[in-house]
Amino acid sequence: MAATLISRNSMSLVRRSVIISAIRTKGTMPSGADHATGLEKKELLAKAAGNENPFDMRVIKRNAGTKDTPNQIPSIFDKRLVGCICEEEATCVTWMWLYKGEPRRCECGHWFKLVEAKGL
Amino acid sequence: MTGHFHPYHLVDQSPWPLTAAIGAFGLTAGLVKGFHNSNFNLCFIGLFIIILTMFQWWRDVSREGTLQGLHTNAVEFGLRWGMILFILSEVLFFFSFFWAFFHSSLSPTIELGSCWPPVGVDAFNPFQVPLLNTAVLLASGVTVTWAHHSLIESNFNETSYALLLTVMLGIYFTILQVFEYYQAPFSIADSVYGSTFFVATGFHGLHVIIGTTFLLICLFRHTLNHFSSNHHFGFEAAAWYWHFVDVVWLFLFVSIYWWGSCLFSM
Ligand SMILES: [Zn+2]
């Protein structure tokens, strides 16, 4: 029993080192997205495709923000807290809750609308 | 709701903080107990638990980063700052030993004979083994840079050779220090000279052993293809740590071995 286990384990170890050494004999290594996996790889591929902000981490630049073309605020929830810098010289941020399906106007006149975040 | 909405790594539940705490408590309590009754069993059990914890915790971190792809740009940024702040805390740790050394050596008390090295202390010749050690560490700084550039150039074999050479130089340094300690004509109990000398160089030696282990783990991870030319922070952290250890040695050599061995009296 023990002997079977030992031989099985050592055989799998031998196989593994053969696979690794096959890569090793090339003498070069994969880089970037070829080496990465998971979320790291998704991020690298998004950046390679020209998306420098794949996780929506940056401050959202406001557009004209009329009633017909409101600022689109992505969220994974039913509401999101929005801070509007109403004008360039503003000394404070104006905060308001923005709810799904209820476009809202900041006191400065700019419109905002909650949209579903796409994510990476 | 599919996909990822943030770049951060929300870690899983892990037993390692708890086992690390148990190990650290056993280590310190066992050390104090050992100083009292010369039985260091508890200390070694604590040390063993710490070593097991370190192995498994960092194995998990490697798997999360390399095999699960959880180390995005933002996560790596955090790891970098963590390492920078850790090394800064280590700088302050050694700063305190240099403070103790200069406090005692710049105005040696009458009990020491008002001179440094104190009366009766036969200091090492800094231009024998300590100078060799300086050369060994400087050479290892070159080889670790060679390894880093090979890694950036995707040269698998040269990275392996340079990293192996660095580890061997680290082991060589440790062996030389062991011989030096073995042959020392003074002990840690021989005045504040012995205390400052062995505490400062001893903690440095411990850091060399840790740094060598860190580089050796990087060598193992490299042979398992864990590193790519543009994502290898584990290696970079080891290299940063190694350079830090190297710089501390230069200060030890110049201050404690060289300046500290030139007799002067008040
Ligand atoms: Zn506003």
Side-chain angles (χ1 to χ4, degrees), chain B residues 145-226:
Chain B
T145 305
W146 176 22
H148 195 189
H149 281 267
S150 304
L151 201 49
I152 291 168
E153 295 289 326
S154 290
N155 190 328
F156 187 96
N157 293 329
E158 282 198 27
T159 306
S160 309
Y161 303 148
L163 209 42
L164 183 63
L165 209 52
T166 312
V167 169
M168 280 162 55
L169 286 166
I171 293 169
Y172 183 34
F173 176 92
T174 306
I175 291 170
L176 286 171
Q177 279 296 77
V178 168
F179 277 125
E180 193 83 325
Y181 272 26
Y182 193 68
Q183 298 193 324
F186 53 88
S187 81
I188 195 168
D190 282 322
S191 85
V192 74
Y193 183 93
S195 309
T196 51
F197 179 90
F198 280 109
V199 169
T201 61
F203 270 116
H204 175 264
L206 181 66
H207 282 72
V208 168
I209 292 167
I210 293 167
T212 308
T213 312
F214 199 170
L215 288 165
L216 187 63
I217 296 291
C218 286
L219 178 56
F220 289 152
R221 291 188 66 200
H222 175 59
T223 61
L224 294 171
N225 279 293
H226 278 204

Side-chain angles (χ1 to χ4, degrees), chain B residues 137-149:
Chain B
L137 278 192
L138 287 177
S140 74
V142 173
T143 55
V144 81
T145 305
W146 176 22
H148 195 189
H149 281 267

Side-chain angles (χ1 to χ4, degrees), chain A residues 20 23-24 27-32 35 37-43 47 54-55 57 76 116-120, chain B residues 1-8 66-67 69 71-73 151 154 156 222-231:
Chain A
I20 291 165
I23 300 162
R24 204 180 290 162
T28 57
M29 298 149 59
S31 67
H35 184 269
T37 184
L39 192 56
E40 183 197 352
K41 184 167 188 153
K42 283 186 176 178
E43 184 184 35
K47 284 183 179 172
F55 295 105
M57 299 293 286
I76 57 171
E116 202 168 312
K118 280 189 282 294
L120 192 60
Chain B
M1 190 180 113
T2 51
H4 295 273
F5 298 91
H6 64 79
Y8 302 109
T66 310
L67 306 178
H71 288 183
T72 59
N73 228 351
L151 201 49
S154 290
F156 187 96
H222 175 59
T223 61
L224 294 171
N225 279 293
H226 278 204
F227 299 133
S228 75
S229 61
N230 46 11
H231 195 165

Side-chain angles (χ1 to χ4, degrees), chain A residues 62 83-87 94 96 105-110 112:
Chain A
R62 208 174 44 200
C84 178
I85 301 166
C86 298
E87 43 159 350
T94 311
M96 65 173 181
R105 203 194 75 155
C106 178
E107 57 194 35
C108 65
H110 291 100
F112 297 89

